[in-house]
Amino acid sequence: MRREILRQLTNEYEERRRENDRIFFARRAEAEQKCPEIGRLMDARQELIFSSVRGIILGHQPDQVPEKMEKLTGQIRSLLVENGFPDDYLEPVYRCPLCKDTGYVGDPVREMCSCMQKELTRRLYAESGLGDQREQTYDTFRLDVFPDTVIPGLGYSQRQMMEMIRDMTKAWAEQWPDVRENCGVIFSGASGLGKTFLLHAMAGVMLDRGLNVMVLSSYRAQEIMRKAYFSRDGQDDLDLLMNTDVLFLDDLGTEPLLDNVTVSQFFNLFNERQNHQKACVISTNLSLKNLRERYTERIASRLLDSSRMMVVEMRGEDIRRNR
Ligand SMILES: [Zn+2]
């Protein structure tokens, strides 16, 4: 995914530079038509640049080039103004002054310009399915929305629990696949406990690490699997679902159980991914008991195997209802 987007961006930057050239030459023709002297001065400036480059290659220091350049540029600028153009009308055309629309900066170490980096990140987020949820990050995760009173029978508060879960899942997202539970994370608990927020925060961390990430509801995942099962199209989407490094599956259990096909497709998905060392991060409103009942022991034993999955059971009050 990343490579494909980068290829597209590189093509767009090339096209932008061609467009910049077209604009520049159109401007030059326009100015020259009104005032032929401008054209002659532009040629003289170009010739000065060439001769100084030739001079450097041949090893002799060209004379007073900066002064000559400055003089020519000054003449061009005043002629432009005299003829009703802005004085910078014939300066090189580009949108980004840092990279001049090449997309890269730095010499000798070339690195991606911030303008391209920003666009790459935006597209990666959009492609991953995380586009609208970019603000749900570990930096914007607020502990103070969770009650700090001890949960009966547990000995700690919801806030303390969330702090622990925040730190554990963040470390997992930063370190995967070098973690013990390298098959994934499953959040279980009632709605309004912050499961989806954390899922999106984890996806953001992993996306920023350059991993291939896909975020979608289990309802949507089911649609993709059914479409590929019952017809020949939809295979590309299924491949993504199977092969993306980390699959973020929100709200497992809300998709309709249409027939046995649904359950066996989910089994296939989890099984294939685990066999290929790909991780799943799952949220579900189902309790662990209901998860076993709905998806059979075969699936549950894969998702709840605590030697390979981090099983996060969340307790407490619905914070959306409190607000
Ligand atoms: Zn740039």
Side-chain angles (χ1 to χ4, degrees):
M1 181 169 73
R2 191 184 186 84
R3 196 181 302 161
E4 174 57 21
I5 294 176
L6 203 52
R7 200 184 58 78
Q8 270 174 21
L9 266 178
T10 306
N11 287 344
E12 286 173 28
Y13 271 68
E14 263 172 39
E15 177 50 40
R16 187 180 299 172
R17 292 197 297 279
R18 279 195 293 271
E19 176 64 21
N20 292 342
D21 285 346
R22 276 194 292 273
I23 294 171
F24 174 81
F25 286 114
R27 285 180 180 177
R28 182 177 159 158
E30 188 191 4
E32 206 173 349
Q33 204 191 12
K34 224 169 169 187
C35 173
E37 180 62 12
I38 291 177
R40 277 190 290 277
L41 291 170
M42 291 288 287
D43 286 340
R45 193 168 67 167
Q46 198 60 47
E47 178 52 35
L48 186 64
I49 294 168
F50 284 149
S51 67
S52 87
V53 171
R54 274 198 301 272
I56 289 165
I57 292 168
L58 297 173
H60 46 73
Q61 203 65 30
D63 244 9
Q64 294 172 319
V65 172
E67 292 81 359
K68 289 179 187 165
M69 276 291 284
E70 206 173 312
K71 192 169 168 227
L72 282 169
T73 303
Q75 287 171 320
I76 292 167
R77 284 178 171 244
S78 43
L79 277 179
L80 282 169
V81 174
E82 272 171 41
N83 286 278
F85 299 102
D87 68 348
D88 62 354
Y89 200 56
L90 292 180
E91 293 302 311
V93 177
Y94 44 77
R95 280 193 233 171
C96 176
L98 298 176
C99 68
K100 300 192 165 60
D101 297 351
T102 60
Y104 292 89
V105 290
D107 187 33
V109 182
R110 225 169 63 112
E111 51 182 34
M112 198 182 285
C113 181
S114 56
C115 70
M116 195 189 238
Q117 184 65 55
K118 212 168 121 187
E119 186 57 20
L120 177 64
T121 307
R122 193 190 67 74
R123 291 188 195 186
L124 280 169
Y125 270 76
E127 281 283 305
S128 71
L130 197 60
D132 302 334
Q133 311 300 341
R134 288 187 64 171
E135 74 281 5
Q136 298 191 338
T137 67
Y138 281 104
D139 289 333
T140 60
F141 181 77
R142 285 175 49 199
L143 278 176
D144 62 325
V145 300
F146 298 99
D148 205 17
T149 46
V150 171
I151 303 172
L154 279 189
Y156 49 77
S157 71
Q158 190 172 353
R159 190 177 302 173
Q160 286 171 314
M161 177 191 77
M162 289 310 290
E163 187 176 6
M164 215 161 60
I165 293 174
R166 178 196 65 187
D167 295 346
M168 278 163 51
T169 55
K170 183 162 182 265
W172 189 95
E174 285 168 349
Q175 288 159 21
W176 183 87
D178 299 320
V179 290
R180 194 179 70 99
E181 302 100 335
N182 63 354
C183 287
V185 176
I186 181 164
F187 294 101
S188 151
S191 53
L193 299 181
K195 297 189 301 292
T196 300
F197 193 110
L198 285 173
L199 186 130
H200 289 151
M202 291 177 81
V205 169
M206 301 186 92
L207 201 54
D208 290 346
R209 284 178 56 198
L211 294 162
N212 281 331
V213 159
M214 191 176 181
V215 184
L216 76 176
S217 67
S218 79
Y219 187 90
R220 176 79 189 110
Q222 188 204 32
E223 278 183 346
I224 290 173
M225 290 189 288
R226 287 186 77 81
K227 194 169 170 199
Y229 183 82
F230 289 110
S231 73
R232 293 218 54 82
D233 35 298
Q235 196 59 44
D236 288 353
D237 284 342
L238 184 67
D239 286 347
L240 266 179
L241 205 62
M242 289 291 182
N243 297 321
T244 192
D245 294 331
V246 191
L247 178 67
F248 289 81
L249 207 54
D250 198 14
D251 254 345
L252 183 70
T254 53
E255 74 290 338
L257 279 189
L258 299 166
D259 40 48
N260 293 336
V261 178
T262 304
V263 170
S264 62
Q265 281 175 331
F266 272 105
F267 176 78
N268 252 338
L269 176 67
F270 297 136
N271 192 42
E272 282 289 300
R273 292 185 56 81
Q274 288 195 352
N275 288 344
H276 292 96
Q277 282 81 47
K278 310 278 186 184
C280 292
V281 177
I282 300 164
S283 84
T284 180
N285 285 0
L286 298 174
S287 66
L288 301 187
K289 178 170 168 285
N290 290 341
L291 197 75
R292 287 181 198 279
E293 284 166 9
R294 183 177 165 94
Y295 294 103
T296 71
E297 188 57 36
R298 221 157 56 118
I299 291 186
S301 64
R302 270 183 169 64
L303 297 186
L304 305 178
D305 173 0
S306 62
S307 68
R308 301 193 291 175
M309 293 283 290
M310 184 190 288
V311 181
V312 181
E313 274 189 273
M314 292 162 84
R315 302 272 299 270
E317 292 170 32
D318 183 341
I319 51 157
R320 289 177 301 196
R321 205 161 46 203
N322 287 348
R323 244 183 271 166

